[in-house]
Amino acid sequence: MIRGARNHDQLPDLPMKGRGAVSNRAGRFETHDRVRIDDGWDAAHALPPDRPPTRVLKDRSRGIISRNTSPDVPFDRSINPYRGCEHGCVYCFARPTHCYLGLSAGLDFETHIFAKHDAPELLKAALARPGYRPRTLALGAVTDPYQPIERELRITRAILEVLWDCRHPVTIVTKSAGVLRDLDILGPMAREGLAKVCLSITSLDPKLARRLEPRASAPERRLAAVEGLSQAGVPVAVLTAPMIPALNDHELEALLERSAAAGATSASYVLLRLPLEIAGLFEEWLEAHYPDRRDRVMNLVRGTRNGKLYDSTWGKRQTGSGVYAKLLARRFEATVKRLGLNRRSWELECGKFRRPRPESPQLALF
């Protein structure tokens, strides 16, 4: 089907259990789109289509550390062990990156996962370069390093082993309680001032969380992970993101209070972002799950983005503008001050760094 063409027999996209996106429409670089139509033979269109399985593909990147100069994030380098994310968070700002691969930001993003099997070796090579200077590295800044396939592939763990061996500082961002698996590495790193974990918690309502983030850990499991990390001596931050107007924004104070009680020492938030394909995907999701709130949510979002669905201006991308955005910011600042969650810092120990040891002990003599 040529992009822009209309077909009156087109069938509506229906939500699938265990998946976040409702559709798999083509990305912005494609010239054709595919849609389901009613061929008139039976009532199969009344049923949701077959759930697509997760496919794990090999990522052939020749580098592993990504650099950025964004003033909106507190780090200048990051590693993402995977492209795409099986958690399926419908609002994920990384979804449009799959369009560069000729895939959809919709279901493709959560079903076609590119794994960087060579990440540990690429990391060793990067850290061994004579000009490399250590600074805190963000693990999972785009896609989750502890998504379900990590249980089998263990790429994130292998990366942590390299960082620990080199005494390189790392901060992890995740929605998964699976991070507790690596406490045997993170605990010793934290005692050396080398590790911090940020747990993203969007809602305390399990039904809403399951719809927003179908394959991420349940809210109570994430809070248990905060507690487990804290008890092991690992500094924990909580990211209440995204805050969605008229959907989960009323939970802000409760999220911060539960996080502080579990042992978090700092917190931050991000207002819902809807760049590129995400705007359409999110509106489809609202229509499928909360049709009565769709117009109110989208109008409030426009009110925080100067009448648009997204504003990419530095300094405003994360927090928005306007009356609603200012009120949310005041609520957040007042609560973190009251709870002592305003100890925000990504700076870790960089002076203990040592370059990777040569594979052959014979070379170590020179």
Side-chain angles (χ1 to χ4, degrees), residues 21-69:
V22 176
S23 73
N24 204 37
R25 61 181 57 186
R28 61 195 179 280
F29 303 121
E30 308 306 310
T31 56
H32 292 77
D33 203 349
R34 291 190 294 271
V35 297
R36 296 194 306 144
I37 63 169
D38 181 3
D39 60 10
W41 282 95
D42 53 42
H45 64 272
L47 301 173
D50 292 336
R51 282 181 283 169
T54 299
R55 297 179 58 196
V56 180
L57 308 168
K58 184 176 177 60
D59 183 281
R60 301 187 181 279
S61 299
R62 291 189 287 182
I64 191 62
I65 299 179
S66 299
R67 306 276 182 159
N68 80 84
T69 56

Side-chain angles (χ1 to χ4, degrees), residues 183-204:
L183 273 182
D184 60 316
I185 299 176
L186 294 173
M189 288 189 77
R191 287 192 286 275
E192 296 284 339
L194 297 169
K196 181 176 183 178
V197 174
C198 180
L199 260 294
S200 175
I201 309 177
T202 313
S203 173
L204 297 174

